[in-house]
Amino acid sequence: MKRTVKIALLAAVVVIAAGGYVAVRGKRAEQQPAAAPVAEFLQNDLVIVEPGALEQSLPLTGSLMPLTEATVKAKVAGELVAVTVREGESVKQGQVLAKIDLTEVGAKVAAREADVAAAKAQLVWAEKNRNQQKALLEKSFISQNAFDNIQSSYDVAAAKTRAAEADLVVAQKSLGDAVLVAPFSGVVSQRHAQPGERIPLDAKVISIVDLSRLQLEASVPPAAIGQVKVGQPISFRVEGFGEREFIGRIERINPAATAGSRSISVYAVIDNASGLLRGGMFAQGALTLSRIESALAVPGSAVREEIGQTFVYAIENGAIKRKNVKVGPPDAGGRVQVLEGLAAGDRIVRVNLGSLREGVTARLSGPAPTETAKQ
Protein backbone atom coordinates (compact mmCIF):
# COMPACT_ATOMS: atom_id res chain seq x y z
CA MET A 1 0.00 0.00 0.00
CA LYS A 2 2.75 2.40 0.96
CA ARG A 3 4.66 1.56 -2.26
CA THR A 4 1.61 2.49 -4.39
CA VAL A 5 1.24 5.88 -2.68
CA LYS A 6 4.93 6.70 -3.33
CA ILE A 7 4.62 5.94 -7.03
CA ALA A 8 1.53 8.19 -7.34
CA LEU A 9 3.27 11.05 -5.55
CA LEU A 10 6.31 10.73 -7.86
CA ALA A 11 4.12 10.86 -11.02
CA ALA A 12 2.40 13.98 -9.75
CA VAL A 13 5.74 15.70 -9.19
CA VAL A 14 6.86 14.85 -12.78
CA VAL A 15 3.61 16.26 -14.27
CA ILE A 16 3.91 19.49 -12.30
CA ALA A 17 7.55 19.92 -13.34
CA ALA A 18 6.71 19.34 -17.02
CA GLY A 19 3.88 21.87 -16.86
CA GLY A 20 6.18 24.45 -15.35
CA TYR A 21 8.77 23.87 -18.08
CA VAL A 22 6.16 24.36 -20.82
CA ALA A 23 4.88 27.54 -19.18
CA VAL A 24 8.37 29.01 -18.90
CA ARG A 25 9.21 28.13 -22.54
CA GLY A 26 5.95 29.67 -23.78
CA LYS A 27 6.65 32.82 -21.84
CA ARG A 28 10.13 33.08 -23.36
CA ALA A 29 8.71 32.57 -26.86
CA GLU A 30 6.24 35.40 -26.27
CA GLN A 31 9.08 37.65 -25.21
CA GLN A 32 11.11 37.05 -28.51
CA PRO A 33 10.53 39.82 -31.21
CA ALA A 34 8.84 38.86 -34.54
CA ALA A 35 11.08 38.58 -37.66
CA ALA A 36 11.22 41.76 -39.83
CA PRO A 37 9.36 41.50 -43.21
CA VAL A 38 11.47 41.12 -46.34
CA ALA A 39 10.43 41.88 -49.95
CA GLU A 40 12.07 39.51 -52.37
CA PHE A 41 12.54 40.53 -56.04
CA LEU A 42 13.60 38.65 -59.12
CA GLN A 43 16.19 40.27 -61.35
CA ASN A 44 13.53 40.97 -64.02
CA ASP A 45 11.50 42.90 -61.47
CA LEU A 46 14.09 45.68 -61.33
CA VAL A 47 15.64 48.02 -63.85
CA ILE A 48 18.66 50.33 -63.65
CA VAL A 49 18.06 53.89 -64.81
CA GLU A 50 20.59 54.97 -67.45
CA PRO A 51 20.55 57.77 -70.06
CA GLY A 52 19.76 56.83 -73.63
CA ALA A 53 18.01 57.95 -76.81
CA LEU A 54 14.28 58.54 -76.49
CA GLU A 55 11.96 59.28 -79.39
CA GLN A 56 8.57 60.90 -79.07
CA SER A 57 6.33 59.58 -81.81
CA LEU A 58 2.76 59.77 -83.01
CA PRO A 59 1.03 56.56 -84.15
CA LEU A 60 -0.38 56.71 -87.69
CA THR A 61 -2.38 54.23 -89.72
CA GLY A 62 -3.70 54.24 -93.26
CA SER A 63 -3.64 52.59 -96.67
CA LEU A 64 -0.86 52.90 -99.21
CA MET A 65 -1.93 54.45 -102.49
CA PRO A 66 0.04 55.18 -105.68
CA LEU A 67 1.24 58.77 -105.80
CA THR A 68 0.70 58.85 -109.57
CA GLU A 69 -2.20 57.13 -111.29
CA ALA A 70 -4.27 57.82 -114.37
CA THR A 71 -7.18 56.43 -116.37
CA VAL A 72 -6.70 56.50 -120.13
CA LYS A 73 -9.97 57.47 -121.81
CA ALA A 74 -11.20 57.42 -125.40
CA LYS A 75 -10.78 60.78 -127.11
CA VAL A 76 -12.92 59.68 -130.06
CA ALA A 77 -15.99 57.48 -130.27
CA GLY A 78 -15.89 54.23 -132.21
CA GLU A 79 -15.34 50.50 -132.08
CA LEU A 80 -12.46 49.28 -129.92
CA VAL A 81 -10.48 47.03 -132.23
CA ALA A 82 -7.56 46.15 -129.93
CA VAL A 83 -6.49 46.25 -126.26
CA THR A 84 -2.88 45.15 -126.01
CA VAL A 85 -2.37 44.95 -122.20
CA ARG A 86 -3.95 43.31 -119.18
CA GLU A 87 -4.00 43.88 -115.41
CA GLY A 88 -0.61 43.53 -113.75
CA GLU A 89 1.45 44.14 -116.89
CA SER A 90 4.18 46.78 -116.83
CA VAL A 91 4.06 49.45 -119.52
CA LYS A 92 6.45 52.16 -120.68
CA GLN A 93 5.60 55.76 -121.39
CA GLY A 94 4.29 56.09 -124.96
CA GLN A 95 3.51 52.36 -125.31
CA VAL A 96 0.36 51.55 -127.35
CA LEU A 97 -2.42 50.33 -125.07
CA ALA A 98 -5.48 50.19 -127.35
CA LYS A 99 -6.75 51.16 -130.81
CA ILE A 100 -10.10 52.46 -132.00
CA ASP A 101 -11.46 51.79 -135.51
CA LEU A 102 -10.44 54.63 -137.86
CA THR A 103 -13.39 54.34 -140.26
CA GLU A 104 -15.51 57.05 -138.67
CA VAL A 105 -12.50 59.21 -137.89
CA GLY A 106 -11.22 58.89 -141.45
CA ALA A 107 -14.64 59.90 -142.81
CA LYS A 108 -14.63 63.01 -140.65
CA VAL A 109 -11.15 63.92 -141.89
CA ALA A 110 -12.26 63.51 -145.48
CA ALA A 111 -15.30 65.72 -144.84
CA ARG A 112 -13.15 68.42 -143.29
CA GLU A 113 -10.73 68.25 -146.22
CA ALA A 114 -13.66 68.76 -148.61
CA ASP A 115 -14.83 71.73 -146.57
CA VAL A 116 -11.37 73.27 -146.81
CA ALA A 117 -11.27 72.76 -150.58
CA ALA A 118 -14.71 74.38 -150.99
CA ALA A 119 -13.77 77.30 -148.76
CA LYS A 120 -10.56 77.89 -150.70
CA ALA A 121 -12.43 77.85 -154.01
CA GLN A 122 -14.86 80.45 -152.71
CA LEU A 123 -11.95 82.51 -151.44
CA VAL A 124 -10.27 82.42 -154.88
CA TRP A 125 -13.45 83.61 -156.56
CA ALA A 126 -13.98 86.32 -153.90
CA GLU A 127 -10.41 87.51 -154.28
CA LYS A 128 -10.67 87.67 -158.06
CA ASN A 129 -13.93 89.60 -157.86
CA ARG A 130 -12.46 92.00 -155.30
CA ASN A 131 -9.47 92.76 -157.53
CA GLN A 132 -11.74 93.48 -160.51
CA GLN A 133 -13.99 95.74 -158.48
CA LYS A 134 -11.02 97.55 -157.02
CA ALA A 135 -9.81 98.45 -160.53
CA LEU A 136 -13.27 99.81 -161.34
CA LEU A 137 -13.27 101.80 -158.10
CA GLU A 138 -9.99 103.41 -159.04
CA LYS A 139 -11.59 104.54 -162.33
CA SER A 140 -14.71 105.74 -160.48
CA PHE A 141 -16.92 103.31 -162.34
CA ILE A 142 -18.40 102.02 -159.02
CA SER A 143 -19.08 103.66 -155.72
CA GLN A 144 -17.09 103.10 -152.54
CA ASN A 145 -20.13 101.53 -150.92
CA ALA A 146 -20.39 98.92 -153.68
CA PHE A 147 -16.70 98.08 -153.30
CA ASP A 148 -17.08 97.76 -149.51
CA ASN A 149 -19.71 95.08 -150.06
CA ILE A 150 -17.31 93.19 -152.32
CA GLN A 151 -14.53 93.51 -149.73
CA SER A 152 -16.86 92.20 -147.06
CA SER A 153 -17.68 89.13 -149.16
CA TYR A 154 -13.95 88.49 -149.57
CA ASP A 155 -13.35 88.79 -145.81
CA VAL A 156 -16.16 86.32 -145.10
CA ALA A 157 -14.69 83.80 -147.59
CA ALA A 158 -11.25 84.16 -145.99
CA ALA A 159 -12.72 83.60 -142.51
CA LYS A 160 -14.62 80.50 -143.67
CA THR A 161 -11.40 79.14 -145.14
CA ARG A 162 -9.54 79.57 -141.84
CA ALA A 163 -12.41 77.92 -139.93
CA ALA A 164 -12.45 74.96 -142.33
CA GLU A 165 -8.68 74.56 -141.96
CA ALA A 166 -9.01 74.59 -138.15
CA ASP A 167 -11.70 71.91 -138.30
CA LEU A 168 -9.40 69.85 -140.49
CA VAL A 169 -6.60 70.10 -137.93
CA VAL A 170 -8.95 68.82 -135.21
CA ALA A 171 -10.14 65.97 -137.43
CA GLN A 172 -6.58 65.02 -138.32
CA LYS A 173 -5.67 64.99 -134.63
CA SER A 174 -8.47 62.49 -134.08
CA LEU A 175 -6.53 60.06 -136.24
CA GLY A 176 -3.81 60.08 -133.59
CA ASP A 177 -6.34 60.01 -130.77
CA ALA A 178 -7.67 56.71 -132.05
CA VAL A 179 -4.44 55.13 -130.77
CA LEU A 180 -4.28 55.17 -126.95
CA VAL A 181 -0.80 55.27 -125.39
CA ALA A 182 0.54 55.15 -121.82
CA PRO A 183 1.01 58.65 -120.34
CA PHE A 184 3.79 57.40 -118.03
CA SER A 185 5.60 54.20 -117.11
CA GLY A 186 3.74 52.03 -114.64
CA VAL A 187 1.55 48.98 -114.14
CA VAL A 188 -1.92 48.33 -115.56
CA SER A 189 -4.36 48.23 -112.64
CA GLN A 190 -7.63 47.74 -114.55
CA ARG A 191 -8.93 47.14 -118.06
CA HIS A 192 -12.34 48.78 -118.40
CA ALA A 193 -13.22 47.79 -121.99
CA GLN A 194 -12.75 44.80 -124.26
CA PRO A 195 -12.04 44.56 -128.01
CA GLY A 196 -15.20 44.69 -130.10
CA GLU A 197 -17.06 47.07 -127.81
CA ARG A 198 -18.29 50.36 -129.17
CA ILE A 199 -17.16 53.04 -126.76
CA PRO A 200 -18.40 56.62 -126.54
CA LEU A 201 -16.26 59.72 -126.27
CA ASP A 202 -14.43 59.97 -122.92
CA ALA A 203 -15.08 56.32 -122.02
CA LYS A 204 -12.60 54.64 -119.62
CA VAL A 205 -10.35 52.10 -121.30
CA ILE A 206 -7.20 51.44 -119.20
CA SER A 207 -6.11 52.49 -115.68
CA ILE A 208 -2.38 52.74 -114.89
CA VAL A 209 -0.55 53.25 -111.59
CA ASP A 210 3.06 54.17 -110.87
CA LEU A 211 4.27 52.09 -107.92
CA SER A 212 7.73 53.66 -107.73
CA ARG A 213 6.39 56.16 -105.16
CA LEU A 214 3.51 55.45 -102.81
CA GLN A 215 1.52 57.75 -100.59
CA LEU A 216 0.21 57.13 -97.08
CA GLU A 217 -2.65 59.36 -95.97
CA ALA A 218 -3.25 59.47 -92.22
CA SER A 219 -5.26 61.60 -89.79
CA VAL A 220 -3.56 63.58 -87.01
CA PRO A 221 -5.45 64.90 -83.94
CA PRO A 222 -5.61 68.70 -83.72
CA ALA A 223 -3.63 68.67 -80.45
CA ALA A 224 -0.61 67.10 -82.17
CA ILE A 225 -0.65 68.81 -85.58
CA GLY A 226 1.59 71.62 -84.31
CA GLN A 227 4.42 69.12 -83.92
CA VAL A 228 4.09 67.70 -87.44
CA LYS A 229 6.42 69.22 -90.02
CA VAL A 230 7.09 68.59 -93.69
CA GLY A 231 10.13 66.35 -94.01
CA GLN A 232 9.68 64.44 -90.74
CA PRO A 233 10.46 60.72 -91.05
CA ILE A 234 7.82 58.07 -90.52
CA SER A 235 8.52 54.37 -89.96
CA PHE A 236 5.77 51.83 -90.51
CA ARG A 237 5.01 48.18 -90.98
CA VAL A 238 2.83 46.73 -93.70
CA GLU A 239 0.44 43.86 -93.31
CA GLY A 240 2.00 40.76 -94.84
CA PHE A 241 5.64 41.76 -94.21
CA GLY A 242 5.90 40.82 -90.55
CA GLU A 243 8.31 42.93 -88.48
CA ARG A 244 9.99 44.52 -91.49
CA GLU A 245 10.01 48.31 -91.26
CA PHE A 246 9.67 50.78 -94.14
CA ILE A 247 10.61 54.45 -94.08
CA GLY A 248 8.83 57.47 -95.56
CA ARG A 249 8.67 61.23 -95.08
CA ILE A 250 5.87 63.75 -94.59
CA GLU A 251 5.51 65.60 -97.89
CA ARG A 252 2.25 67.53 -97.49
CA ILE A 253 -0.12 68.67 -94.73
CA ASN A 254 -3.74 69.44 -95.50
CA PRO A 255 -4.50 73.10 -94.69
CA ALA A 256 -8.05 72.33 -93.52
CA ALA A 257 -9.43 70.04 -90.84
CA THR A 258 -11.87 67.26 -91.62
CA ALA A 259 -15.45 68.16 -90.76
CA GLY A 260 -16.79 66.28 -87.75
CA SER A 261 -13.60 64.69 -86.41
CA ARG A 262 -11.61 67.94 -86.72
CA SER A 263 -8.55 65.82 -87.52
CA ILE A 264 -6.05 66.97 -90.13
CA SER A 265 -4.78 64.77 -92.96
CA VAL A 266 -1.06 64.42 -93.56
CA TYR A 267 0.53 62.73 -96.56
CA ALA A 268 3.72 60.70 -96.37
CA VAL A 269 5.58 59.58 -99.50
CA ILE A 270 7.47 56.29 -99.63
CA ASP A 271 10.05 55.37 -102.25
CA ASN A 272 9.17 51.97 -103.70
CA ALA A 273 11.54 51.59 -106.63
CA SER A 274 11.62 47.81 -106.15
CA GLY A 275 7.84 47.60 -106.48
CA LEU A 276 7.66 45.48 -103.33
CA LEU A 277 4.70 47.35 -101.87
CA ARG A 278 1.33 47.56 -103.59
CA GLY A 279 -1.50 50.03 -103.60
CA GLY A 280 -4.24 49.44 -101.04
CA MET A 281 -2.00 47.72 -98.46
CA PHE A 282 -2.69 48.60 -94.84
CA ALA A 283 0.19 50.31 -93.03
CA GLN A 284 0.67 50.98 -89.34
CA GLY A 285 3.53 53.06 -88.02
CA ALA A 286 4.69 56.08 -86.06
CA LEU A 287 5.75 59.60 -86.94
CA THR A 288 8.91 60.73 -85.15
CA LEU A 289 8.11 64.08 -83.50
CA SER A 290 11.32 64.57 -81.54
CA ARG A 291 14.43 62.70 -80.39
CA ILE A 292 16.36 63.17 -77.15
CA GLU A 293 19.79 61.57 -77.20
CA SER A 294 20.52 61.42 -73.45
CA ALA A 295 17.20 61.07 -71.70
CA LEU A 296 16.59 59.29 -68.41
CA ALA A 297 13.81 56.92 -69.39
CA VAL A 298 11.98 54.25 -67.43
CA PRO A 299 9.23 51.81 -68.40
CA GLY A 300 5.82 53.37 -68.11
CA SER A 301 4.76 50.34 -66.04
CA ALA A 302 7.14 51.44 -63.26
CA VAL A 303 5.39 54.77 -62.75
CA ARG A 304 2.45 54.85 -60.37
CA GLU A 305 -0.06 57.57 -59.57
CA GLU A 306 -1.82 58.00 -56.27
CA ILE A 307 -3.77 60.98 -54.92
CA GLY A 308 -2.38 63.25 -57.60
CA GLN A 309 1.25 62.20 -57.00
CA THR A 310 3.40 60.35 -59.52
CA PHE A 311 6.08 58.11 -58.04
CA VAL A 312 8.22 54.99 -58.43
CA TYR A 313 9.58 52.46 -55.95
CA ALA A 314 13.37 52.43 -55.78
CA ILE A 315 15.80 50.12 -53.99
CA GLU A 316 18.29 52.09 -51.87
CA ASN A 317 20.62 50.66 -49.21
CA GLY A 318 18.80 47.36 -49.36
CA ALA A 319 15.37 48.84 -48.64
CA ILE A 320 12.32 49.99 -50.59
CA LYS A 321 12.02 53.75 -50.98
CA ARG A 322 9.23 55.70 -52.63
CA LYS A 323 10.41 58.51 -54.92
CA ASN A 324 8.16 61.16 -56.38
CA VAL A 325 8.93 61.81 -60.05
CA LYS A 326 7.88 64.07 -62.89
CA VAL A 327 7.65 62.34 -66.27
CA GLY A 328 7.00 63.26 -69.88
CA PRO A 329 4.72 61.56 -72.43
CA PRO A 330 5.42 57.92 -73.36
CA ASP A 331 7.21 56.89 -76.54
CA ALA A 332 6.10 54.16 -78.94
CA GLY A 333 7.69 51.51 -76.72
CA GLY A 334 5.89 52.63 -73.57
CA ARG A 335 8.92 54.34 -71.97
CA VAL A 336 8.63 57.75 -70.33
CA GLN A 337 11.27 60.39 -69.78
CA VAL A 338 11.98 61.18 -66.15
CA LEU A 339 12.23 64.96 -65.83
CA GLU A 340 12.66 65.10 -62.05
CA GLY A 341 13.14 62.70 -59.16
CA LEU A 342 15.66 60.10 -60.38
CA ALA A 343 19.35 59.98 -61.28
CA ALA A 344 21.42 57.71 -63.48
CA GLY A 345 22.21 54.46 -61.70
CA ASP A 346 19.05 54.36 -59.58
CA ARG A 347 17.47 50.94 -59.35
CA ILE A 348 13.68 50.87 -59.47
CA VAL A 349 10.88 48.32 -59.52
CA ARG A 350 9.92 47.73 -63.14
CA VAL A 351 6.28 46.71 -62.81
CA ASN A 352 3.42 47.00 -60.36
CA LEU A 353 3.91 44.08 -57.96
CA GLY A 354 1.09 45.09 -55.68
CA SER A 355 1.27 47.13 -52.50
CA LEU A 356 4.83 47.80 -51.34
CA ARG A 357 5.80 49.37 -48.01
CA GLU A 358 8.49 52.01 -47.86
CA GLY A 359 11.39 50.98 -45.63
CA VAL A 360 10.85 47.25 -46.03
CA THR A 361 14.06 45.30 -46.57
CA ALA A 362 14.56 44.31 -50.22
CA ARG A 363 16.28 41.12 -51.26
CA LEU A 364 17.28 40.21 -54.82
CA SER A 365 17.13 36.59 -55.90
CA GLY A 366 19.90 35.64 -58.30
CA PRO A 367 22.48 37.96 -59.88
CA ALA A 368 21.96 41.71 -60.05
CA PRO A 369 20.11 42.95 -63.16
CA THR A 370 22.28 44.11 -66.04
CA GLU A 371 19.62 45.49 -68.40
CA THR A 372 18.94 49.19 -68.45
CA ALA A 373 15.84 51.32 -68.68
CA LYS A 374 16.30 51.85 -72.39
CA GLN A 375 15.85 48.20 -73.19
Side-chain angles (χ1 to χ4, degrees):
M1 182 69 179
K2 293 181 179 181
R3 181 178 178 84
T4 304
V5 172
K6 290 181 178 180
I7 293 174
L9 290 175
L10 181 60
V13 170
V14 171
V15 170
I16 293 172
Y21 174 77
V22 170
V24 171
R25 185 174 180 181
K27 186 175 182 180
R28 288 179 180 177
E30 290 177 358
Q31 293 176 350
Q32 289 180 354
V38 176
E40 188 169 312
F41 297 95
L42 299 176
Q43 62 176 4
N44 290 334
D45 295 333
L46 306 179
V47 62
I48 299 175
V49 180
E50 287 189 0
L54 181 69
E55 288 186 351
Q56 296 297 330
S57 58
L58 178 69
L60 296 178
T61 57
S63 296
L64 298 176
M65 299 303 295
L67 185 62
T68 304
E69 55 184 330
T71 298
V72 180
K73 298 181 179 181
K75 297 180 181 179
V76 295
E79 181 183 349
L80 194 62
V81 295
V83 180
T84 61
V85 293
R86 291 187 175 275
E87 291 85 352
E89 292 185 13
S90 297
V91 296
K92 298 293 184 181
Q93 184 176 4
Q95 179 179 335
V96 174
L97 305 177
K99 294 181 179 180
I100 299 174
D101 183 32
L102 296 178
T103 302
E104 294 183 21
V105 177
K108 291 181 179 179
V109 171
R112 299 292 86 79
E113 289 176 343
D115 291 342
V116 170
K120 286 183 176 180
Q122 290 180 350
L123 179 61
V124 169
W125 178 86
E127 183 179 12
K128 183 178 180 181
N129 186 35
R130 184 194 65 168
N131 292 338
Q132 292 174 350
Q133 297 302 317
K134 186 177 181 180
L136 294 176
L137 176 64
E138 292 174 352
K139 296 178 180 180
S140 300
F141 289 160
I142 62 172
S143 65
Q144 182 66 43
N145 187 46
F147 177 78
D148 290 342
N149 290 333
I150 299 299
Q151 180 65 42
S152 177
S153 298
Y154 170 81
D155 293 339
V156 170
K160 287 183 177 180
T161 301
R162 290 193 298 271
E165 289 175 341
D167 290 341
L168 176 60
V169 170
V170 173
Q172 289 174 335
K173 181 180 179 298
S174 298
L175 290 173
D177 291 340
V179 179
L180 307 182
V181 298
F184 53 81
S185 298
V187 180
V188 176
S189 61
Q190 189 172 0
R191 192 163 91 163
H192 302 278
Q194 306 299 328
E197 295 183 22
R198 179 175 177 80
I199 55 177
L201 178 66
D202 210 33
K204 296 180 179 180
V205 180
I206 297 289
S207 290
I208 302 175
V209 297
D210 180 6
L211 296 178
S212 62
R213 299 183 75 202
L214 298 179
Q215 175 178 276
L216 173 63
E217 179 181 356
S219 297
V220 175
I225 194 62
Q227 298 176 276
V228 181
K229 307 294 181 184
V230 173
Q232 283 179 319
I234 174 175
S235 60
F236 60 93
R237 294 174 181 173
V238 179
E239 187 176 6
F241 288 88
E243 299 298 315
R244 179 172 178 176
E245 287 197 350
F246 298 87
I247 303 296
R249 290 191 177 276
I250 298 297
E251 188 172 81
R252 305 187 314 280
I253 301 175
N254 198 310
T258 303
S261 66
R262 312 306 301 169
S263 61
I264 298 175
S265 296
V266 298
Y267 306 89
V269 174
I270 301 97
D271 290 330
N272 186 41
S274 63
L276 190 63
L277 301 176
R278 302 287 176 173
M281 285 184 166
F282 180 74
Q284 186 172 12
L287 172 65
T288 301
L289 299 178
S290 63
R291 179 181 174 88
I292 304 174
E293 294 298 335
S294 298
L296 290 180
V298 299
S301 57
V303 181
R304 307 188 187 193
E305 188 172 352
E306 186 178 281
I307 317 179
Q309 290 186 335
T310 304
F311 63 93
V312 298
Y313 283 116
I315 307 299
E316 289 189 358
N317 301 322
I320 298 175
K321 183 176 181 180
R322 172 171 163 166
K323 285 191 170 185
N324 292 334
V325 294
K326 181 180 179 181
V327 298
D331 67 359
R335 300 176 304 160
V336 294
Q337 181 186 7
V338 179
L339 304 175
E340 295 178 5
L342 292 178
D346 286 348
R347 189 167 53 175
I348 65 172
V349 180
R350 176 191 292 273
V351 294
N352 190 341
L353 298 178
S355 178
L356 297 176
R357 292 172 53 191
E358 189 172 14
V360 172
T361 301
R363 180 186 301 161
L364 180 65
S365 297
T370 58
E371 60 180 317
T372 63
K374 64 182 179 179
Q375 293 178 325

